[in-house]
Amino acid sequence: MSERSEILQRLGEQGEPWDVVVIGGGASGLGAAVEAASRGYRTVLVERFDFAKGTSSRSTKLVHGGVRYLEQFNITLVMDALRERGHMLRNAPHLVHNLQFVVPAFDYFSLPYYGFGLKVYERMSGRLSLGASKLLSRERTVEMLPGIADSGLRGGILYHDGQFDDARYAISLLRTFQDLGGIAVNYVEAVGLLKRDGKIVGIRARDCEEDVQFDLQAKVVVNASGVFTEEVLAMDGVAAESLLAVSQGTHFVLPHSFLPGSTALMIPKTADGRVLFAIPWHESTIVGTTDVPVNGASVEPRSMAEERTFLLDHIARYFGRRPRAEEIQSMWSGLRPLVRKGGGGKTSKLSRDHTILVSKSGLVTVTGGKWTTYRRMGEDTINHAAEVAGFAKMASRTLDLKLHGWTDSSGGIAESDRVYGADLPLLQSLSDNDAALGALLHPRLPYRLREVVWAVRYEMARTVEDVLARRTRALFLDARAAIEAAPAVADLLAKELGRSDAWRDKDLQRFVDLANGYIYRDE
């Protein structure tokens, strides 16, 4: 019997109610689950797709207070985020690191304006500061941002923020949750809420792989389903069509040659008022993001022509040339669940604060927020959940909780290996026993066949997409290379999972169809 079968059997043979059931395996759901398990609550998390399938794997890869939120005078959010940023770096140094940013100034007013603002930003982080900000000369700015179009450049401002690998951080949270005794399972969907006398007492769940339904009794249910929050609220009979404004953000991935070196570029205000980043990541350059309102949520959002035009125009403006189609290694879009708080206006103006709702039935919903404040969101969520369930008051234990894989000796290790932290020697030992597993997945990718095996055995990967999009970041780094590597991944996956050739072929084709949407084509 497989590990997944054992988990499902255990859930199906439930003897007494779980303390907490969490719906959703993204940043907010995993954060809440870790919080609950760390307090000793018997906790189950279900995710209808894969962990971090949606928004939580499609961020700009930043752990930050949010410079533009400071400009909007959202001081509380910035303070909370800067505090959490520092603790993320301490609790998961294998996944989070300090990154230098430079804001180029193209007029003399920008130097004192952003220089002052970034000094305030630095001071707000207090003892958790990642480094001092300072003004740069024109020459030093060009030196730190090689490749930038320097016509009209007056100088720059250096500051520090955090960078991470979002999907790998989610997997580390999953492993941490399991280490704490929690049970998580992907490809299990909450299809209904169980009620008794008007109060929620659990969920009706469906195993999406076998199309089998079962009940999970619980003392409290947490809805952490991100942009799909309103779907779960509808199961509870709550009309919440106007709760969320969904915003889409799209990124391009370019060769490292567009921004050589190790310093990131931040444009605090483009012509239409957006923030734009160009960030080194896994020997490539991420450029983004857009901020466009969309009607409703989708599982696999696709970029719009206006977003692609925006990115191309701004790359040309700040790097002196438009990338050719083949130079855009990958493009992806993510959706932000932004909470409406009266009025309309641009989604870029809506707060990134999180909101917690407790329905009359006792359903606890957490939505909004941002990756950097996931832990604080989890703490607030479980505080409310504990009150609903009548648990004894208990202080949070996660502020200094080291995440799975924690190590302080990952310096000098390639980024693609560093994300495994203390597990890296165990991963590498797989190819000690089978030398073939040491082969690269693809010449343009840093990943090896052993990572496919590891993903299945230890990280609950079930599909080619799970491996190439989230356990490794191949799809997000180079979509064409990911497609070319997919057959070998499908072979290994089918072998590890005991799947048929027909299953292998179907899953492979599904991935290829999906991955083609990550390839930019001339318009």
Side-chain angles (χ1 to χ4, degrees):
M1 180 181 291
S2 69
E3 181 184 3
R4 187 173 193 276
S5 298
E6 292 175 358
I7 291 172
L8 292 172
Q9 182 177 4
R10 181 178 171 186
L11 294 179
E13 295 174 349
Q14 178 181 5
E16 59 179 295
W18 297 95
D19 291 331
V20 182
V21 166
V22 178
I23 302 171
S28 57
L30 288 164
V34 168
E35 181 70 34
S38 71
R39 299 188 193 188
Y41 302 147
R42 297 175 59 253
T43 307
V44 173
L45 180 147
V46 297
E47 163 57 52
R48 67 172 167 175
F49 301 113
D50 185 32
F51 308 108
K53 157 70 176 175
T55 304
S56 297
S57 62
R58 300 161 187 266
S59 75
T60 313
K61 321 308 176 197
L62 297 181
V63 176
H64 63 142
V67 173
R68 71 186 176 105
Y69 310 139
L70 180 61
E71 192 173 27
Q72 295 169 357
F73 294 102
N74 194 338
I75 304 300
T76 301
L77 175 60
V78 175
M79 291 288 287
D80 283 348
L82 286 172
R83 175 175 180 256
E84 295 298 328
R85 180 193 70 177
H87 286 281
M88 286 179 72
L89 182 60
R90 291 185 177 188
N91 295 337
H94 57 304
L95 294 161
V96 184
H97 63 270
N98 187 345
L99 181 65
Q100 290 188 139
F101 288 76
V102 169
V103 178
F106 291 92
D107 60 72
Y108 287 117
F109 172 75
S110 295
L111 281 170
Y113 180 76
Y114 290 112
F116 175 76
L118 288 166
K119 184 58 68 175
V120 171
Y121 185 72
E122 171 202 331
R123 295 292 175 82
M124 287 173 70
S125 59
R127 61 184 180 83
L128 295 174
S129 171
L130 301 185
S133 63
K134 61 182 179 180
L135 298 179
L136 302 175
S137 67
R138 182 183 188 279
E139 292 71 24
R140 181 61 175 149
T141 300
V142 172
E143 183 181 336
M144 296 192 72
L145 295 175
I148 190 173
D150 58 3
S151 177
L153 182 69
R154 306 297 184 185
I157 305 98
L158 169 73
Y159 76 101
H160 296 255
D161 242 326
Q163 184 180 31
F164 79 144
D165 188 313
D166 49 11
R168 289 302 315 178
Y169 197 100
I171 297 303
S172 184
L173 285 175
L174 166 68
R175 300 292 303 278
T176 303
F177 176 56
Q178 293 170 327
D179 293 344
L180 291 167
I183 294 181
V185 60
N186 47 357
Y187 299 102
V188 168
E189 178 181 13
V191 295
L193 300 173
L194 307 178
K195 291 187 177 182
R196 184 182 305 127
D197 299 326
K199 297 295 183 181
I200 291 177
V201 294
I203 67 170
R204 169 65 57 84
R206 182 179 75 89
D207 175 10
C208 300
E209 291 190 0
E210 302 296 334
D211 195 21
V212 174
Q213 294 192 8
F214 57 95
D215 291 345
L216 285 175
Q217 308 283 336
K219 297 173 185 176
V220 63
V221 173
V222 171
N223 170 20
S225 48
V227 293
F228 300 103
T229 291
E230 292 170 355
E231 290 185 16
V232 179
L233 287 171
M235 295 180 195
D236 192 26
V238 177
E241 293 83 1
S242 62
L243 175 63
L244 296 182
V246 180
S247 167
Q248 178 164 298
T250 292
H251 299 80
F252 282 170
V253 177
L254 305 176
H256 186 55
S257 58
F258 269 81
L259 189 63
S262 57
T263 302
L265 164 72
M266 195 271 268
I267 305 299
K269 188 172 289 186
T270 60
D272 60 355
R274 308 183 205 188
V275 174
L276 187 71
F277 291 98
I279 301 170
W281 190 61
H282 287 293
E283 301 301 319
S284 297
T285 302
I286 297 175
V287 179
T289 179
T290 59
D291 198 328
V292 180
V294 294
N295 294 320
S298 59
V299 176
E300 191 62 47
R302 297 299 192 194
S303 65
M304 292 177 277
E306 64 179 282
E307 294 179 285
R308 298 190 293 272
T309 298
F310 170 84
L311 291 175
L312 288 169
D313 288 348
H314 282 78
I315 291 168
R317 177 177 176 182
Y318 290 105
F319 292 100
R321 69 180 182 90
R322 292 169 72 92
R324 300 185 304 274
E326 63 270 19
E327 288 182 299
I328 300 175
Q329 298 170 184
S330 184
M331 64 178 181
W332 79 83
S333 302
L335 301 178
R336 309 176 186 92
L338 306 177
V339 180
R340 299 182 192 272
K341 295 187 178 178
K346 293 183 177 180
T347 51
S348 60
K349 301 298 183 184
L350 290 178
S351 174
R352 268 54 175 175
D353 278 328
H354 65 275
T355 294
I356 296 175
L357 306 172
V358 179
S359 305
K360 291 181 180 179
S361 64
L363 177 68
V364 178
T365 295
V366 56
T367 193
K370 57 201 290 283
W371 240 121
T372 308
T373 56
Y374 85 90
R375 191 212 62 84
R376 176 64 183 273
M377 292 166 63
E379 178 182 344
D380 290 350
T381 301
I382 298 307
N383 284 344
H384 283 79
E387 188 173 338
V388 168
F391 300 148
K393 284 191 175 181
M394 186 181 300
S396 174
R397 301 173 177 176
T398 54
L399 191 63
D400 297 306
L401 177 68
K402 292 181 171 66
L403 298 193
H404 183 94
W406 187 95
T407 177
D408 59 358
S409 59
S410 56
I413 299 175
E415 191 170 1
S416 55
D417 285 335
R418 189 175 65 227
V419 297
Y420 291 96
D423 283 338
L424 182 60
L426 296 174
L427 166 65
Q428 293 172 330
S429 71
L430 292 177
S431 48
D432 292 341
N433 300 325
D434 182 351
L437 295 179
L440 288 170
L441 282 179
H442 190 279
R444 294 200 306 273
L445 295 171
Y447 309 111
R448 300 182 183 276
L449 290 173
R450 63 193 177 208
E451 292 174 70
V452 182
V453 174
W454 180 270
V456 176
R457 294 181 185 177
Y458 301 104
E459 297 177 346
M460 302 186 74
R462 306 293 296 173
T463 70
V464 172
E465 181 194 342
D466 295 348
V467 172
L468 291 176
R470 290 171 292 277
R471 305 311 185 278
T472 70
R473 309 315 309 278
L475 178 60
F476 285 73
L477 286 170
D478 190 329
R480 296 174 185 86
I483 289 172
E484 292 168 12
V489 173
D491 287 342
L492 261 181
L493 201 67
K495 178 182 177 182
E496 285 291 317
L497 293 173
R499 301 290 198 178
S500 66
D501 289 345
W503 178 91
R504 172 206 176 277
D505 294 344
K506 183 178 180 180
D507 188 57
L508 175 59
Q509 188 59 54
R510 192 194 64 79
F511 173 76
V512 171
D513 292 344
L514 178 141
N516 272 305
Y518 287 65
I519 295 176
Y520 177 86
R521 304 179 195 281
D522 275 323
E523 297 175 82

